Amino acid sequence: MAERAGRAEQAEGAREAAGTERAGRPEEPPPWLDAHEDEVWSGFFETQVLFWRRLAQQLQQETGLSEPDLAILQALLAAPGGRLRAYRLSGVTQFEKSRLHHHLTRMAGRGLVTREPCPDAGRGAVVALTEQGRAAVAAALPRRAAHIRHWLTDPLTDDQRSALIGISATLTAQLKGDGPTR
């Protein structure tokens, strides 16, 4: 909290100094965040970093699975026959092709998934959920749900949860609508 207040004071001082330089010119948005924007950003950033770190640590300790492992296993569990093309999994994890390849190789080495040739594409691969992978995801999902309740949904009121749903939908639409970063 003190760190956040210090950043806000520094930003305010810089804004005041720059404000005298802009006198007589049309108002442009400053290139930095104002105190309120900085508070929004800092709160969002700190919360999501702490949440994901805590969730990842707990899942790894309790289940031996990482969050990307779980995302892949969950996608396969929901897929027809427990099989998906590798490129579809890259959309789930947001991994680039080479990172996904290495991650799937590690998961295959642990017996969670297998790779099979794709019947529709000569160079393509289908990733399939193994029985061991199915058992791992079935054991991990209740633990993950308990942690999400404990750290995200339970501390909030019904109104706060509804607000968070709306905020998330707005931000997701904005991020998806912007296209690739420049």
Side-chain angles (χ1 to χ4, degrees), residues 62-119:
E62 295 171 358
T63 68
L65 298 175
S66 67
E67 189 62 33
D69 289 341
L70 199 50
I72 290 168
L73 293 173
Q74 204 169 357
L76 291 171
L77 188 64
R83 291 172 162 65
L84 276 179
R85 292 279 308 270
Y87 80 89
R88 297 280 306 272
L89 287 173
S90 70
V92 170
T93 60
Q94 298 296 305
F95 281 5
E96 292 181 10
K97 187 177 179 180
S98 64
R99 183 175 178 202
L100 179 64
H101 173 78
H102 291 297
H103 196 86
L104 290 173
T105 298
R106 288 190 299 274
M107 290 180 73
R110 292 164 40 212
L112 300 171
V113 299
T114 60
R115 285 199 186 107
E116 304 168 353
C118 180

Coordinates of all heavy atoms in Angstrom, one line a residue, residues 62-119:
E62 N -0.4 -29.9 -4.5 CA -1.4 -30.9 -4.2 C -1.6 -31.9 -5.3 O -2.0 -33.1 -5.0 CB -2.8 -30.2 -4.0 CG -2.7 -29.3 -2.7 CD -3.9 -28.4 -2.6 OE1 -4.8 -28.4 -3.5 OE2 -4.0 -27.7 -1.6
T63 N -1.4 -31.5 -6.6 CA -1.8 -32.5 -7.7 C -0.6 -32.8 -8.6 O -0.7 -33.7 -9.4 CB -2.9 -31.8 -8.5 OG1 -2.4 -30.7 -9.2 CG2 -4.1 -31.5 -7.7
G64 N 0.5 -32.0 -8.5 CA 1.6 -32.2 -9.5 C 1.3 -31.6 -10.8 O 2.1 -31.8 -11.7
L65 N 0.2 -30.9 -11.0 CA -0.2 -30.3 -12.3 C 0.0 -28.8 -12.2 O -0.3 -28.2 -11.2 CB -1.6 -30.6 -12.6 CG -2.0 -32.1 -12.8 CD1 -3.5 -32.2 -13.0 CD2 -1.2 -32.7 -14.0
S66 N 0.5 -28.3 -13.3 CA 0.5 -26.8 -13.5 C -0.8 -26.3 -14.0 O -1.6 -27.1 -14.5 CB 1.7 -26.4 -14.4 OG 1.4 -26.9 -15.8
E67 N -1.0 -25.0 -14.0 CA -2.2 -24.5 -14.6 C -2.3 -24.8 -16.1 O -3.4 -25.2 -16.6 CB -2.3 -23.0 -14.3 CG -3.7 -22.3 -14.7 CD -4.9 -22.9 -13.9 OE1 -4.7 -23.3 -12.8 OE2 -6.0 -22.9 -14.5
P68 N -1.2 -24.6 -16.9 CA -1.3 -25.0 -18.3 C -1.6 -26.5 -18.5 O -2.3 -26.9 -19.4 CB 0.1 -24.7 -18.9 CG 0.6 -23.6 -18.0 CD 0.0 -23.9 -16.6
D69 N -1.0 -27.4 -17.6 CA -1.4 -28.8 -17.7 C -2.9 -29.0 -17.5 O -3.5 -29.7 -18.3 CB -0.7 -29.6 -16.5 CG 0.8 -29.8 -16.6 OD1 1.3 -29.6 -17.7 OD2 1.3 -30.1 -15.5
L70 N -3.4 -28.3 -16.5 CA -4.8 -28.4 -16.2 C -5.7 -27.9 -17.4 O -6.7 -28.5 -17.7 CB -5.2 -27.7 -14.9 CG -6.4 -28.1 -14.2 CD1 -6.6 -29.6 -14.1 CD2 -6.5 -27.5 -12.9
A71 N -5.3 -26.8 -18.0 CA -6.0 -26.2 -19.1 C -6.1 -27.2 -20.3 O -7.1 -27.4 -20.9 CB -5.4 -24.9 -19.5
I72 N -4.9 -27.8 -20.6 CA -4.9 -28.8 -21.7 C -5.7 -30.0 -21.3 O -6.5 -30.5 -22.2 CB -3.4 -29.2 -22.0 CG1 -2.7 -28.0 -22.6 CG2 -3.3 -30.4 -22.8 CD1 -1.2 -28.1 -22.7
L73 N -5.6 -30.6 -20.1 CA -6.3 -31.7 -19.7 C -7.8 -31.5 -19.7 O -8.6 -32.3 -20.1 CB -5.8 -32.2 -18.4 CG -4.4 -32.8 -18.3 CD1 -4.0 -33.1 -16.9 CD2 -4.3 -34.0 -19.2
Q74 N -8.2 -30.3 -19.2 CA -9.6 -29.9 -19.2 C -10.2 -29.8 -20.6 O -11.3 -30.3 -20.9 CB -9.8 -28.6 -18.4 CG -11.1 -28.4 -17.8 CD -11.1 -27.3 -16.9 OE1 -10.1 -26.6 -16.6 NE2 -12.3 -27.0 -16.3
A75 N -9.4 -29.2 -21.5 CA -9.9 -29.1 -22.9 C -10.0 -30.5 -23.5 O -11.0 -30.7 -24.3 CB -8.9 -28.3 -23.7
L76 N -9.1 -31.4 -23.3 CA -9.2 -32.7 -23.8 C -10.4 -33.5 -23.2 O -11.1 -34.3 -23.9 CB -7.9 -33.5 -23.6 CG -6.7 -33.0 -24.4 CD1 -5.4 -33.7 -23.9 CD2 -6.9 -33.2 -25.9
L77 N -10.6 -33.3 -21.9 CA -11.7 -34.0 -21.2 C -13.0 -33.6 -21.9 O -13.9 -34.4 -22.0 CB -11.7 -33.6 -19.7 CG -12.6 -34.3 -18.8 CD1 -12.3 -35.8 -18.8 CD2 -12.6 -33.7 -17.4
A78 N -13.2 -32.3 -22.3 CA -14.4 -31.8 -22.9 C -14.5 -32.1 -24.4 O -15.6 -32.0 -24.9 CB -14.5 -30.3 -22.7
A79 N -13.4 -32.5 -25.0 CA -13.4 -32.8 -26.4 C -14.0 -34.1 -26.8 O -13.9 -35.1 -26.0 CB -12.0 -32.7 -27.0
P80 N -14.6 -34.3 -27.9 CA -15.1 -35.6 -28.3 C -14.0 -36.7 -28.3 O -13.0 -36.4 -29.0 CB -15.7 -35.4 -29.7 CG -15.9 -33.9 -29.8 CD -14.9 -33.3 -28.9
G81 N -14.2 -37.7 -27.6 CA -13.3 -38.8 -27.6 C -12.0 -38.5 -26.8 O -11.0 -39.2 -26.9
G82 N -11.9 -37.3 -26.2 CA -10.8 -36.9 -25.4 C -9.6 -36.6 -26.4 O -8.4 -36.7 -26.0
R83 N -9.9 -36.1 -27.6 CA -8.9 -35.8 -28.6 C -9.1 -34.5 -29.2 O -10.2 -34.1 -29.5 CB -8.9 -36.9 -29.7 CG -8.5 -38.2 -29.3 CD -8.8 -39.3 -30.4 NE -8.0 -40.5 -30.2 CZ -8.2 -41.3 -29.2 NH1 -9.0 -41.1 -28.3 NH2 -7.4 -42.4 -29.2
L84 N -8.0 -33.7 -29.4 CA -8.0 -32.5 -30.1 C -6.7 -32.3 -30.9 O -5.7 -32.8 -30.6 CB -8.0 -31.3 -29.1 CG -9.3 -30.9 -28.5 CD1 -9.1 -29.7 -27.5 CD2 -10.3 -30.4 -29.6
R85 N -6.9 -31.6 -32.0 CA -5.7 -31.2 -32.8 C -4.8 -30.3 -31.9 O -5.3 -29.5 -31.1 CB -6.1 -30.5 -34.1 CG -6.8 -31.3 -35.1 CD -5.9 -32.1 -36.0 NE -4.8 -31.4 -36.6 CZ -4.8 -30.8 -37.8 NH1 -5.9 -30.9 -38.5 NH2 -3.8 -30.2 -38.2
A86 N -3.5 -30.3 -32.1 CA -2.6 -29.5 -31.3 C -2.9 -28.0 -31.5 O -2.8 -27.3 -30.6 CB -1.1 -29.9 -31.7
Y87 N -3.2 -27.6 -32.7 CA -3.4 -26.2 -32.9 C -4.6 -25.7 -32.2 O -4.7 -24.5 -31.8 CB -3.5 -25.8 -34.4 CG -4.9 -26.1 -35.1 CD1 -5.9 -25.2 -35.1 CD2 -5.1 -27.4 -35.6 CE1 -7.1 -25.4 -35.6 CE2 -6.4 -27.6 -36.2 CZ -7.4 -26.7 -36.2 OH -8.6 -26.9 -36.8
R88 N -5.6 -26.5 -31.9 CA -6.8 -26.2 -31.1 C -6.3 -25.9 -29.6 O -6.8 -25.1 -28.9 CB -7.9 -27.2 -31.1 CG -8.5 -27.5 -32.5 CD -9.5 -26.4 -32.9 NE -10.6 -26.3 -32.0 CZ -11.7 -27.0 -31.9 NH1 -11.9 -27.9 -32.8 NH2 -12.6 -26.7 -31.0
L89 N -5.4 -26.8 -29.2 CA -4.9 -26.6 -27.8 C -4.1 -25.3 -27.6 O -4.1 -24.8 -26.6 CB -4.0 -27.8 -27.4 CG -4.8 -29.1 -27.1 CD1 -3.9 -30.3 -26.9 CD2 -5.7 -28.9 -25.9
S90 N -3.5 -24.9 -28.7 CA -2.7 -23.6 -28.6 C -3.7 -22.5 -28.3 O -3.3 -21.5 -27.6 CB -1.9 -23.4 -29.8 OG -2.7 -23.1 -30.9
G91 N -4.9 -22.5 -28.8 CA -5.9 -21.5 -28.5 C -6.3 -21.5 -27.1 O -6.6 -20.5 -26.5
V92 N -6.4 -22.7 -26.5 CA -6.8 -22.9 -25.1 C -5.7 -22.3 -24.2 O -6.0 -21.6 -23.2 CB -7.0 -24.4 -24.7 CG1 -7.2 -24.6 -23.2 CG2 -8.2 -24.9 -25.5
T93 N -4.4 -22.6 -24.4 CA -3.3 -22.2 -23.6 C -2.7 -20.9 -23.9 O -2.0 -20.3 -23.1 CB -2.2 -23.3 -23.6 OG1 -1.7 -23.4 -25.0 CG2 -2.7 -24.6 -23.1
Q94 N -3.0 -20.4 -25.1 CA -2.3 -19.2 -25.7 C -0.8 -19.4 -25.8 O 0.0 -18.4 -25.7 CB -2.6 -18.0 -24.8 CG -4.1 -17.6 -24.8 CD -4.6 -17.2 -26.2 OE1 -4.1 -16.3 -26.8 NE2 -5.6 -17.9 -26.7
F95 N -0.3 -20.7 -25.9 CA 1.1 -21.0 -26.1 C 1.4 -20.8 -27.6 O 0.6 -21.2 -28.4 CB 1.4 -22.4 -25.7 CG 1.5 -22.7 -24.2 CD1 1.3 -21.7 -23.3 CD2 1.9 -23.9 -23.8 CE1 1.4 -21.9 -21.9 CE2 2.1 -24.2 -22.4 CZ 1.8 -23.2 -21.5
E96 N 2.6 -20.4 -27.9 CA 3.1 -20.4 -29.3 C 3.4 -21.9 -29.6 O 3.5 -22.7 -28.7 CB 4.3 -19.6 -29.4 CG 4.0 -18.1 -29.2 CD 5.2 -17.2 -29.4 OE1 6.3 -17.7 -29.8 OE2 5.1 -16.0 -29.1
K97 N 3.5 -22.2 -30.9 CA 3.6 -23.5 -31.4 C 4.8 -24.3 -30.7 O 4.6 -25.4 -30.2 CB 3.8 -23.5 -32.9 CG 3.8 -24.8 -33.5 CD 3.9 -24.7 -35.1 CE 3.9 -26.1 -35.7 NZ 4.0 -25.9 -37.2
S98 N 5.9 -23.7 -30.6 CA 7.1 -24.4 -30.1 C 6.9 -24.6 -28.6 O 7.3 -25.7 -28.1 CB 8.4 -23.6 -30.4 OG 8.4 -22.4 -29.7
R99 N 6.4 -23.6 -27.9 CA 6.2 -23.8 -26.4 C 5.2 -24.9 -26.2 O 5.3 -25.7 -25.3 CB 5.7 -22.5 -25.8 CG 5.6 -22.6 -24.3 CD 5.3 -21.3 -23.6 NE 5.1 -21.5 -22.2 CZ 4.4 -20.7 -21.4 NH1 3.9 -19.6 -21.9 NH2 4.3 -21.0 -20.1
L100 N 4.1 -24.9 -26.9 CA 3.1 -26.0 -26.8 C 3.7 -27.4 -27.1 O 3.4 -28.3 -26.3 CB 1.9 -25.7 -27.7 CG 0.8 -26.8 -27.6 CD1 0.1 -26.8 -26.2 CD2 -0.3 -26.6 -28.7
H101 N 4.5 -27.4 -28.1 CA 5.1 -28.7 -28.5 C 6.0 -29.2 -27.3 O 5.9 -30.4 -26.9 CB 6.0 -28.5 -29.7 CG 6.8 -29.7 -30.1 ND1 6.3 -30.8 -30.7 CD2 8.1 -30.0 -29.8 CE1 7.3 -31.7 -30.8 NE2 8.4 -31.3 -30.3
H102 N 6.8 -28.4 -26.7 CA 7.6 -28.8 -25.6 C 6.8 -29.2 -24.4 O 7.1 -30.1 -23.7 CB 8.6 -27.7 -25.2 CG 9.7 -27.5 -26.3 ND1 10.6 -28.5 -26.6 CD2 9.9 -26.4 -27.1 CE1 11.4 -28.0 -27.6 NE2 11.0 -26.8 -27.9
H103 N 5.7 -28.4 -24.1 CA 4.8 -28.7 -23.0 C 4.1 -30.1 -23.2 O 4.1 -30.9 -22.3 CB 3.8 -27.6 -22.8 CG 3.2 -27.6 -21.4 ND1 3.8 -27.1 -20.3 CD2 2.1 -28.3 -21.0 CE1 3.0 -27.3 -19.3 NE2 2.0 -28.0 -19.7
L104 N 3.6 -30.3 -24.4 CA 3.0 -31.6 -24.7 C 4.0 -32.7 -24.6 O 3.6 -33.8 -24.1 CB 2.3 -31.6 -26.0 CG 1.1 -30.7 -26.1 CD1 0.6 -30.6 -27.6 CD2 -0.1 -31.1 -25.2
T105 N 5.2 -32.5 -25.0 CA 6.2 -33.5 -24.8 C 6.4 -33.9 -23.4 O 6.5 -35.1 -23.0 CB 7.6 -33.1 -25.5 OG1 7.3 -32.8 -26.9 CG2 8.7 -34.1 -25.3
R106 N 6.5 -32.9 -22.5 CA 6.7 -33.2 -21.1 C 5.4 -33.9 -20.5 O 5.6 -34.8 -19.7 CB 6.9 -31.9 -20.3 CG 8.3 -31.3 -20.5 CD 8.6 -30.1 -19.6 NE 7.7 -29.0 -19.7 CZ 7.8 -28.0 -20.6 NH1 8.8 -28.0 -21.4 NH2 7.0 -27.0 -20.6
M107 N 4.2 -33.5 -20.9 CA 3.0 -34.2 -20.5 C 3.0 -35.6 -21.0 O 2.5 -36.5 -20.2 CB 1.8 -33.4 -20.9 CG 1.6 -32.0 -20.2 SD 0.2 -31.1 -20.7 CE -1.1 -32.1 -20.0
A108 N 3.4 -35.8 -22.2 CA 3.4 -37.2 -22.7 C 4.4 -38.0 -21.9 O 4.1 -39.2 -21.6 CB 3.8 -37.2 -24.2
G109 N 5.5 -37.5 -21.6 CA 6.5 -38.2 -20.8 C 6.0 -38.6 -19.4 O 6.5 -39.5 -18.8
R110 N 5.0 -37.8 -18.9 CA 4.4 -38.1 -17.6 C 3.2 -39.0 -17.8 O 2.5 -39.4 -16.8 CB 4.0 -36.8 -16.9 CG 5.3 -36.0 -16.5 CD 5.0 -34.6 -16.2 NE 3.8 -34.3 -15.4 CZ 3.1 -33.1 -15.5 NH1 3.5 -32.2 -16.4 NH2 2.0 -32.9 -14.8
G111 N 2.9 -39.4 -19.0 CA 1.8 -40.3 -19.3 C 0.4 -39.7 -19.2 O -0.6 -40.4 -19.2
L112 N 0.3 -38.3 -19.3 CA -1.0 -37.7 -19.2 C -1.7 -37.6 -20.6 O -2.9 -37.5 -20.6 CB -0.8 -36.2 -18.7 CG -0.1 -36.2 -17.3 CD1 0.2 -34.7 -16.9 CD2 -1.1 -36.8 -16.2
V113 N -0.9 -37.5 -21.7 CA -1.4 -37.4 -23.0 C -0.5 -38.2 -24.0 O 0.6 -38.6 -23.6 CB -1.4 -35.9 -23.5 CG1 -2.3 -35.0 -22.7 CG2 0.0 -35.4 -23.7
T114 N -1.1 -38.5 -25.1 CA -0.3 -39.1 -26.2 C -0.5 -38.3 -27.4 O -1.5 -37.5 -27.5 CB -0.8 -40.6 -26.5 OG1 -2.2 -40.5 -26.9 CG2 -0.6 -41.5 -25.3
R115 N 0.4 -38.4 -28.4 CA 0.2 -37.8 -29.7 C 0.0 -38.9 -30.7 O 0.7 -39.9 -30.7 CB 1.5 -37.0 -30.0 CG 1.7 -35.8 -29.3 CD 2.7 -34.9 -30.1 NE 3.0 -33.7 -29.3 CZ 4.2 -33.5 -28.7 NH1 5.1 -34.4 -28.8 NH2 4.4 -32.4 -28.1
E116 N -1.0 -38.6 -31.6 CA -1.3 -39.5 -32.6 C -1.3 -38.8 -34.0 O -1.6 -37.6 -34.0 CB -2.7 -40.1 -32.4 CG -2.8 -40.8 -31.0 CD -4.3 -41.1 -30.7 OE1 -5.2 -40.6 -31.4 OE2 -4.5 -41.7 -29.7
P117 N -1.0 -39.5 -35.1 CA -1.1 -38.8 -36.4 C -2.5 -38.4 -36.6 O -3.4 -39.1 -36.3 CB -0.6 -39.9 -37.4 CG 0.0 -41.0 -36.5 CD -0.5 -40.9 -35.1
C118 N -2.6 -37.3 -37.3 CA -4.0 -36.8 -37.6 C -4.4 -37.4 -38.9 O -3.7 -37.3 -39.9 CB -4.0 -35.3 -37.8 SG -5.6 -34.6 -38.2
P119 N -5.6 -38.1 -38.9 CA -6.0 -38.8 -40.1 C -6.4 -37.8 -41.3 O -6.3 -38.1 -42.4 CB -7.3 -39.5 -39.7 CG -7.7 -39.0 -38.4 CD -6.5 -38.3 -37.8

